[in-house]
């Protein structure tokens, strides 16, 4: 119970790119690499304890409070980016090795009925719940090893001559699945056999996208891209009109300013004016957000937007929204002098500059056929300084509390702060999601590495998610300029809106939010026999309220 100015809560939004890299690194290690390596170990592969030790220790070197909070000088945070990359690359290597080992244990010989040029692959779900969703894999449709004696130009010619027509996607039962195929052309690659020198090859690569259904928790399913004499399966579109998406559960309608309504068809509840961007000045620092006194927030409500459909497949549809938004270029010229004089931040009088720059916004709203939520990808080309950008999601639900994902719990918090709270801002910290519910219906907003939110006291219980915060100095106890904390350049954020209603709906929404954190694992393999069939999983548990945390091998051997 403080006056709200000494909590340092806004370190959750300082240098958001660090939080996003941390979320990705932790997720790949804990939710993908460790489960896959454990499953592979159960079948005889050595568990790479030494690699996990290196990856985790390197990641955790970024976790001291001035580091992960983004509240140090630029040099410290540049080194963090390097450590995040090192740790992530090791995690990716473990994932690749484990997935290939697992794929070799899976029965795929049944696909040989389609011919020896069938291209089998597996899809693995390392979450703790059965999963359905859109999956993308890049496949080598054909390979030619350079050791086979052809000159490089002849190898390339042969690969370009490969006929990719007449192929379809099937699952292990032979059922044809709707898919989209993008020809990626020629690609160079190489194998690294244990008993030979590297084996270089040229290949014809394609990108295959489809909807994988009911992949078991910590399990896998098999598919193949095969020759067929039948026409490819075609499903109905999810596009309804020029600016509308609809599946069995949800309907999204985009307005002329790029905001949208979301209808939960199960309850009949409509959420309005979602996805509006808010922009305010920030004359604070890496520790504390401080809006210029008396300033009115700018929003994209009513701003002209360019809207178009960019994907229309049987399993997913997407609408792109582009806005060129003119905002103040920075704080005014008095700010640096005030900061050098160490003026107490709540009393600062600095305002924003009269000069403006264009903030380019690109928002992609997408919906999957079996999707329980709406995916949002927000890309900001930031050329402004000393400001904050948030995305707003009004709920219009009557409640005094909200729930938020915290460390190994879903915490309940009051919408209104304590009486002592003098700070106009009441931002809070989140992990995977925040949820506003009135007991009957609710709206969950999931995120990837966006750790700051606020439930606004605006009469609508609007959930505001901080996408970017730009500041010029460290703050706290002296004058330390941090020009890289202005976060100039292009930044992308990922969110998912999950409406829910009915008994047990909150748990289902939270499950969806947790799965949103975790990427699918895919791996091409060959035609071979194996001890595991499609649908394999090493373990099963019961209990709707159980949330999967981790799966790893004990010991060091």
């Amino acid at each position: 119970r403080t006056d709200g100015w000494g909590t340092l809560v806004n370190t959750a939004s300082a240098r958001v790119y660090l939080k996003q890299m941390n979320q990705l690194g932790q997720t790949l290690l804990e939710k993908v690499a460790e489960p896959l390596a454990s499953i592979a170990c159960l079948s005889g592969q050595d568990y790479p304890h030494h690699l996990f030790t290196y990856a985790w220790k390197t990641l955790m070197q970024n976790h001291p409070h001035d580091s992960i909070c983004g509240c140090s000088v630029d040099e410290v945070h540049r080194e963090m980016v390097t450590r995040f990359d090192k740790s992530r690359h090791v995690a990716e290597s473990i994932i690749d090795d484990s997935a290939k080992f697992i794929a070799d244990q899976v029965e795929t010989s049944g696909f040989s009925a389609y011919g020896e040029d069938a291209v089998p692959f597996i899809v693995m779900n390392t979450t703790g719940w059965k999963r359905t969703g859109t999956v993308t894999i890049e496949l080598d449709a054909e390979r030619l090893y350079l050791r086979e004696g052809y000159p490089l130009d002849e190898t390339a010619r042969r690969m370009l001559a490969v006929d990719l027509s007449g192929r379809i996607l099937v699952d292990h039962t032979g059922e044809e699945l709707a898919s989209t195929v993008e020809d990626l052309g020629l690609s160079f690659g190489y194998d690294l056999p244990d008993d030979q020198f590297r084996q270089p090859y040229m290949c014809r690569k394609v990108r295959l996208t489809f909807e994988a259904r009911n992949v078991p928790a910590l399990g896998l399913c098999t598919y193949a891209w095969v020759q067929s004499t039948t026409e490819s399966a075609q499903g109905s579109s999810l596009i309804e009109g020029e600016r509308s998406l609809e599946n069995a559960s949800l309907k999204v309608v985009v307005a002329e300013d790029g905001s949208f309504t979301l209808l939960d068809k199960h309850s009949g509840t409509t959420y309005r004016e979602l996805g509006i961007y808010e922009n305010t000045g920030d004359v604070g620092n890496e520790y504390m957000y401080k809006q210029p006194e008396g300033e009115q927030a700018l929003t994209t409500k009513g701003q002209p937007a360019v809207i178009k459909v960019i994907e229309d497949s049987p399993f997913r549809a997407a609408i792109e929204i582009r806005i060129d938004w003119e905002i103040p270029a920075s704080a005014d010229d008095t700010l640096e002098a005030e900061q050098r004089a160490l003026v107490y931040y709540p009393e600062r009088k600095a305002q924003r500059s009269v000069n403006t720059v264009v903030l380019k916004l690109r928002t992609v709203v997408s919906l999957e056929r079996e999707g329980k939520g709406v995916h949002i990808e927000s890309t900001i080309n930031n050329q402004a300084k000393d400001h904050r950008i948030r995305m707003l999601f009004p709920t219009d639900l009557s409640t005094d509390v909200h729930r938020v994902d915290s460390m190994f719990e879903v915490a309940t918090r009051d919408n209104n702060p304590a009486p002592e709270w003098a700070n106009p801002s009441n931002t809070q910290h989140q992990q995977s999601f925040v949820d506003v519910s009135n007991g009957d219906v609710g709206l969950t907003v999931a995120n990837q590495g966006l750790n700051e939110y606020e439930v606004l006291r605006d009469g609508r219980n609007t959930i505001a998610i901080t996408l970017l915060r730009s500041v010029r100095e460290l703050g706290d106890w002296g004058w330390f300029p941090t020009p890289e904390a202005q976060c100039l350049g292009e930044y992308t954020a990922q969110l998912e809106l999950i409406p829910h209603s009915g008994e047990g709906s909150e748990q289902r929404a939270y499950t969806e939010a947790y799965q949103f954190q975790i990427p699918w694992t895919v791996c091409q393999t060959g035609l071979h026999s194996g001890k595991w069939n499609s649908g394999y999983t090493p373990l099963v548990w019961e209990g709707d309220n159980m949330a999967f945390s981790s799966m790893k091998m004990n010991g060091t051997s």
Side-chain angles (χ1 to χ4, degrees), residues 106-318:
V106 178
E107 171 63 49
T108 60
S109 61
F111 293 119
S112 61
Y114 295 93
E116 292 305 311
D117 57 353
V119 182
F121 61 93
I122 63 172
V123 173
M124 287 170 276
N125 165 27
T126 57
T127 78
W129 303 270
K130 183 170 62 175
R131 191 176 193 186
T132 294
T134 300
V135 176
T136 296
I137 182 171
E138 292 188 2
L139 297 173
D140 292 353
E142 192 83 23
R143 281 188 185 184
L144 190 58
Y145 284 86
L146 301 185
R147 65 172 182 267
E148 296 181 18
Y150 296 108
L152 191 59
D153 58 345
E154 174 65 11
T155 300
R157 188 189 66 77
R158 286 172 174 267
M159 287 296 97
L160 288 172
V162 172
D163 184 10
L164 300 180
S165 63
R167 302 197 185 194
I168 61 172
L169 175 68
V170 296
D171 66 13
H172 74 285
T173 68
E175 179 183 355
E176 182 182 348
L177 306 176
S179 63
T180 59
V181 180
E182 180 184 356
D183 185 355
L184 301 179
L186 292 181
S187 180
F188 172 79
Y190 57 90
D191 295 333
L192 291 174
D194 291 338
D195 57 349
Q196 299 180 61
F197 194 58
R198 63 175 177 263
Q199 305 292 303
Y201 59 83
M202 296 291 290
C203 69
R204 185 74 174 276
K205 217 169 195 52
V206 298
R207 180 181 292 122
L208 189 69
T209 304
F210 69 102
E211 185 175 66
R213 296 185 180 181
N214 299 321
V215 182
L218 296 173
L220 58 88
C221 287
T222 59
Y223 306 87
W225 195 46
V226 301
Q227 286 284 358
S228 175
T229 57
T230 63
E231 294 184 5
S232 296
Q234 298 295 324
S236 58
S237 172
L238 298 174
I239 297 291
E240 298 289 335
E242 295 181 354
R243 298 200 303 262
S244 181
L245 311 172
E246 186 171 2
N247 67 11
S249 302
L250 306 172
K251 183 175 182 178
V252 178
V253 179
V254 180
E256 292 184 356
D257 63 0
S259 65
F260 58 92
T261 61
L262 172 59
L263 169 64
D264 178 358
K265 297 166 76 170
H266 296 299
S267 67
T269 305
T270 299
Y271 301 92
R272 306 182 188 278
E273 297 183 314
L274 302 172
I276 289 175
Y277 289 83
E278 176 204 74
N279 181 251
T280 63
D282 189 346
V283 294
N285 53 53
E286 291 180 322
Y287 286 87
M288 291 299 300
Y289 163 78
K290 174 66 171 71
Q291 185 177 1
E293 187 174 318
E295 180 200 51
Q296 293 296 312
L298 305 173
T299 72
T300 55
K301 185 175 182 179
Q303 292 285 327
V306 177
I307 303 167
K308 67 176 182 179
V309 174
I310 61 170
E311 183 177 1
D312 182 10
S313 70
F315 45 83
R316 183 173 63 189

Side-chain angles (χ1 to χ4, degrees), residues 70-102:
C71 55
S72 191
V73 293
D74 291 340
E75 292 84 351
V76 168
H77 299 302
R78 283 185 221 136
E79 292 198 7
M80 287 179 65
V81 171
T82 300
R83 286 193 289 267
F84 279 133
D85 287 342
K86 287 181 176 180
S87 178
R88 189 187 76 254
H89 289 323
V90 173
E92 291 169 341
S93 176
I94 296 171
I95 292 167
D96 288 345
D97 289 347
S98 300
K100 290 175 183 176
F101 186 89
I102 292 169

Side-chain angles (χ1 to χ4, degrees), residues 358-422:
V358 174
L359 193 72
K360 290 185 175 294
L361 304 174
R362 178 181 183 265
T363 310
V364 176
V365 179
S366 61
L367 184 65
E368 298 180 359
R369 179 163 298 280
E370 300 296 326
K372 299 300 185 286
V374 178
H375 291 222
I376 300 174
E377 180 179 273
S378 170
T379 301
I380 301 168
N381 190 336
N382 178 41
Q383 300 303 321
K385 299 178 180 179
D386 311 312
H387 70 123
R388 182 183 69 182
I389 305 170
R390 301 197 293 188
M391 189 172 279
L392 307 180
F393 304 102
T395 68
D396 294 312
L397 299 175
S398 179
T399 177
D400 294 327
V401 299
H402 62 277
R403 291 173 179 83
V404 58
D405 182 43
S406 188
M407 281 67 74
F408 298 103
E409 67 165 340
V410 177
T412 299
R413 296 178 184 163
D414 293 327
N415 296 347
N416 294 303
E420 296 87 353
W421 195 271

Side-chain angles (χ1 to χ4, degrees), residues 417-529:
E420 296 87 353
W421 195 271
N423 189 343
S425 171
N426 187 31
T427 51
Q428 304 288 336
H429 182 276
Q430 67 173 334
Q431 295 286 334
S432 300
F433 61 83
V434 58
D435 174 73
V436 170
S437 172
N438 64 7
D440 296 318
V441 300
L443 183 66
T444 301
V445 182
N447 76 90
Q448 294 178 5
L450 306 175
N451 296 127
E452 183 178 279
Y453 78 95
E454 183 175 7
V455 176
L456 303 184
R457 292 160 283 172
D458 60 350
R460 304 186 68 184
N461 276 335
T462 296
I463 300 172
I465 305 295
T466 303
L467 305 181
L468 191 70
R469 196 162 70 87
S470 303
V471 294
R472 64 175 62 193
E473 64 118 356
L474 190 158
D476 194 20
W477 58 275
W479 169 248
F480 302 98
T482 55
E484 292 173 21
Q486 295 285 10
C487 297
L488 300 178
E490 190 168 278
Y491 292 86
T492 298
Q494 306 285 346
L495 303 105
E496 183 181 10
L497 304 187
I498 311 163
H500 57 85
S501 58
E503 184 178 354
S505 66
E506 288 182 351
Q507 286 84 355
R508 291 191 292 272
Y510 301 165
T511 295
E512 176 74 16
Y514 286 132
Q515 288 188 321
F516 180 61
Q517 309 298 307
I518 304 170
W520 293 91
T521 300
V522 293
C523 184
Q524 182 175 344
T525 189
L527 293 167
H528 49 69
S529 59

